[in-house]
Amino acid sequence: SRIKKGRTYFGFVQQQQVELIAIGFTKVFEQEKAYRLNSIPSILRFIEQNDIVPTDPHAVSNYLGQWKNEKGEPWIHDLQRMLDSQYSKYKSEISRIKEARNTHIAHSQAGSPRKDLPSVAVFQDLLGLAFGFHDFINSAFINTHSHPILTDTRVQTSLVNVLRAIGVSDVATAWPD
Protein backbone atom coordinates (compact mmCIF):
# COMPACT_ATOMS: atom_id res chain seq x y z
CA SER A 1 0.00 0.00 0.00
CA ARG A 2 1.00 3.64 -0.40
CA ILE A 3 1.05 4.19 3.37
CA LYS A 4 3.51 1.32 3.91
CA LYS A 5 5.76 2.64 1.12
CA GLY A 6 5.49 6.13 2.58
CA ARG A 7 6.51 4.91 6.04
CA THR A 8 9.47 3.05 4.58
CA TYR A 9 10.53 6.07 2.53
CA PHE A 10 10.15 8.61 5.34
CA GLY A 11 11.83 6.22 7.78
CA PHE A 12 14.80 6.04 5.40
CA VAL A 13 14.83 9.85 4.98
CA GLN A 14 14.67 10.29 8.75
CA GLN A 15 17.59 7.89 9.30
CA GLN A 16 19.69 9.67 6.66
CA GLN A 17 18.93 13.05 8.20
CA VAL A 18 19.84 11.89 11.71
CA GLU A 19 23.15 10.56 10.40
CA LEU A 20 23.87 13.83 8.58
CA ILE A 21 23.03 15.73 11.76
CA ALA A 22 25.44 13.47 13.66
CA ILE A 23 28.24 14.27 11.22
CA GLY A 24 27.45 17.98 11.37
CA PHE A 25 27.21 17.84 15.13
CA THR A 26 30.68 16.38 15.49
CA LYS A 27 32.08 19.17 13.32
CA VAL A 28 30.41 21.89 15.38
CA PHE A 29 31.57 20.57 18.76
CA GLU A 30 34.90 19.00 17.78
CA GLN A 31 37.98 19.79 19.85
CA GLU A 32 41.09 20.99 18.03
CA LYS A 33 44.04 18.68 17.70
CA ALA A 34 46.59 19.74 15.09
CA TYR A 35 44.61 22.28 13.07
CA ARG A 36 42.28 25.18 13.81
CA LEU A 37 38.69 24.19 13.13
CA ASN A 38 35.39 25.96 12.55
CA SER A 39 33.99 24.57 15.79
CA ILE A 40 32.72 26.14 18.99
CA PRO A 41 35.83 25.19 21.03
CA SER A 42 38.11 26.45 18.26
CA ILE A 43 36.28 29.75 17.93
CA LEU A 44 36.45 30.31 21.69
CA ARG A 45 40.16 29.53 21.74
CA PHE A 46 40.77 31.90 18.81
CA ILE A 47 38.84 34.71 20.54
CA GLU A 48 40.75 34.19 23.78
CA GLN A 49 44.21 33.87 22.19
CA ASN A 50 43.70 37.01 20.10
CA ASP A 51 42.07 38.96 22.93
CA ILE A 52 39.08 39.83 20.75
CA VAL A 53 36.57 42.03 22.55
CA PRO A 54 32.85 41.93 21.72
CA THR A 55 31.57 44.99 19.88
CA ASP A 56 28.27 44.54 21.73
CA PRO A 57 28.93 43.70 25.40
CA HIS A 58 25.19 43.40 26.06
CA ALA A 59 25.10 40.39 23.72
CA VAL A 60 27.42 38.58 26.16
CA SER A 61 25.20 39.17 29.19
CA ASN A 62 22.07 38.41 27.15
CA TYR A 63 23.49 35.11 25.93
CA LEU A 64 24.78 34.05 29.33
CA GLY A 65 21.45 35.12 30.86
CA GLN A 66 19.62 32.69 28.56
CA TRP A 67 21.57 29.92 30.27
CA LYS A 68 20.98 31.35 33.75
CA ASN A 69 24.62 32.46 34.05
CA GLU A 70 25.57 35.80 35.48
CA LYS A 71 28.21 37.73 33.61
CA GLY A 72 31.41 37.97 35.60
CA GLU A 73 34.99 38.73 34.68
CA PRO A 74 36.45 37.76 32.31
CA TRP A 75 33.41 37.04 30.15
CA ILE A 76 35.20 34.39 28.04
CA HIS A 77 35.64 32.21 31.15
CA ASP A 78 31.94 32.56 32.01
CA LEU A 79 31.10 31.50 28.48
CA GLN A 80 33.50 28.55 28.63
CA ARG A 81 32.08 27.46 31.99
CA MET A 82 28.54 27.58 30.60
CA LEU A 83 29.50 25.53 27.53
CA ASP A 84 31.42 23.04 29.70
CA SER A 85 28.33 22.57 31.87
CA GLN A 86 26.24 21.84 28.77
CA TYR A 87 28.87 19.42 27.43
CA SER A 88 28.93 17.66 30.82
CA LYS A 89 25.15 17.41 30.85
CA TYR A 90 25.22 15.51 27.54
CA LYS A 91 28.58 13.75 27.95
CA SER A 92 27.36 10.20 27.29
CA GLU A 93 25.21 11.28 24.33
CA ILE A 94 28.10 13.23 22.80
CA SER A 95 30.32 10.18 23.19
CA ARG A 96 27.73 7.95 21.48
CA ILE A 97 27.41 10.38 18.58
CA LYS A 98 31.18 10.58 18.10
CA GLU A 99 31.54 6.81 18.30
CA ALA A 100 28.72 6.28 15.77
CA ARG A 101 30.28 8.84 13.44
CA ASN A 102 33.72 7.27 13.65
CA THR A 103 32.63 3.63 13.36
CA HIS A 104 29.64 3.44 11.03
CA ILE A 105 28.43 6.79 9.68
CA ALA A 106 31.49 8.57 8.27
CA HIS A 107 33.78 5.54 8.36
CA SER A 108 32.43 2.02 7.95
CA GLN A 109 34.49 0.06 10.45
CA ALA A 110 34.21 -3.70 9.88
CA GLY A 111 32.92 -5.69 12.83
CA SER A 112 31.99 -2.60 14.82
CA PRO A 113 28.71 -2.98 16.69
CA ARG A 114 26.13 -0.46 15.54
CA LYS A 115 25.01 1.63 18.49
CA ASP A 116 21.85 3.67 18.67
CA LEU A 117 22.18 7.40 18.37
CA PRO A 118 20.59 9.61 21.03
CA SER A 119 17.00 10.74 20.62
CA VAL A 120 15.99 13.53 18.29
CA ALA A 121 15.24 15.60 21.41
CA VAL A 122 18.91 15.39 22.47
CA PHE A 123 20.03 16.46 19.00
CA GLN A 124 17.52 19.30 19.17
CA ASP A 125 18.90 20.50 22.52
CA LEU A 126 22.52 20.32 21.35
CA LEU A 127 21.81 21.97 18.02
CA GLY A 128 19.88 24.65 19.88
CA LEU A 129 23.06 25.29 21.86
CA ALA A 130 25.05 25.49 18.61
CA PHE A 131 22.54 27.80 16.88
CA GLY A 132 22.44 29.99 19.99
CA PHE A 133 26.23 30.21 19.99
CA HIS A 134 26.20 31.15 16.29
CA ASP A 135 23.68 33.90 16.97
CA PHE A 136 25.75 35.05 19.96
CA ILE A 137 28.89 35.38 17.81
CA ASN A 138 26.96 37.31 15.17
CA SER A 139 25.39 39.62 17.76
CA ALA A 140 28.45 40.17 19.95
CA PHE A 141 31.15 40.52 17.29
CA ILE A 142 29.57 41.28 13.92
CA ASN A 143 26.52 43.33 15.01
CA THR A 144 24.06 41.26 13.00
CA HIS A 145 21.55 38.54 13.78
CA SER A 146 21.41 34.98 12.50
CA HIS A 147 18.54 33.56 10.51
CA PRO A 148 15.97 32.22 13.02
CA ILE A 149 16.51 28.64 11.90
CA LEU A 150 14.90 27.08 14.97
CA THR A 151 11.63 28.98 14.52
CA ASP A 152 11.46 29.26 10.73
CA THR A 153 8.49 27.18 9.60
CA ARG A 154 8.78 27.63 5.82
CA VAL A 155 10.25 24.14 5.25
CA GLN A 156 7.65 22.55 7.51
CA THR A 157 4.81 24.38 5.73
CA SER A 158 6.13 23.35 2.33
CA LEU A 159 6.46 19.69 3.37
CA VAL A 160 2.95 19.68 4.82
CA ASN A 161 1.64 21.11 1.53
CA VAL A 162 3.46 18.40 -0.47
CA LEU A 163 2.10 15.63 1.77
CA ARG A 164 -1.43 16.97 1.50
CA ALA A 165 -1.07 17.30 -2.28
CA ILE A 166 -0.23 13.59 -2.55
CA GLY A 167 -3.22 12.61 -0.45
CA VAL A 168 -2.00 12.51 3.16
CA SER A 169 -4.76 14.28 5.04
CA ASP A 170 -3.78 13.85 8.68
CA VAL A 171 -0.31 15.41 8.70
CA ALA A 172 0.98 15.96 12.24
CA THR A 173 3.07 19.09 12.75
CA ALA A 174 3.33 19.14 16.55
CA TRP A 175 3.99 16.49 19.16
CA PRO A 176 3.68 16.62 22.93
CA ASP A 177 6.97 16.77 24.80
Side-chain angles (χ1 to χ4, degrees), residues 42-146:
S42 184
I43 291 167
L44 281 178
R45 193 166 76 73
F46 180 80
I47 289 170
E48 188 172 24
Q49 284 180 342
N50 292 285
D51 201 23
I52 299 173
V53 178
T55 56
D56 181 1
H58 295 291
V60 174
S61 55
N62 290 343
Y63 183 65
L64 290 172
Q66 291 174 10
W67 297 96
K68 311 291 188 265
N69 279 359
E70 295 296 322
K71 184 182 178 298
E73 296 298 329
W75 66 270
I76 191 88
H77 293 209
D78 294 335
L79 184 58
Q80 185 64 56
R81 187 173 51 250
M82 182 277 296
L83 290 170
D84 287 346
S85 75
Q86 292 300 308
Y87 293 161
S88 293
K89 179 179 176 181
Y90 294 104
K91 185 177 183 176
S92 67
E93 290 88 349
I94 290 169
S95 178
R96 282 178 28 213
I97 295 167
K98 286 179 181 178
E99 185 176 350
R101 178 208 175 268
N102 292 337
T103 59
H104 69 268
I105 297 174
H107 313 286
S108 185
Q109 196 174 80
S112 172
R114 188 172 183 99
K115 297 198 176 170
D116 290 334
L117 288 167
S119 69
V120 172
V122 169
F123 278 109
Q124 190 173 10
D125 288 348
L126 291 168
L127 290 173
L129 175 67
F131 291 141
F133 182 81
H134 180 262
D135 189 50
F136 160 70
I137 293 296
N138 283 342
S139 299
F141 297 96
I142 308 172
N143 291 330
T144 188
H145 294 283
S146 302

Side-chain angles (χ1 to χ4, degrees), residues 138-157:
N138 283 342
S139 299
F141 297 96
I142 308 172
N143 291 330
T144 188
H145 294 283
S146 302
H147 178 81
I149 194 165
L150 295 176
T151 57
D152 187 349
T153 59
R154 290 178 292 179
V155 172
Q156 176 186 358
T157 302

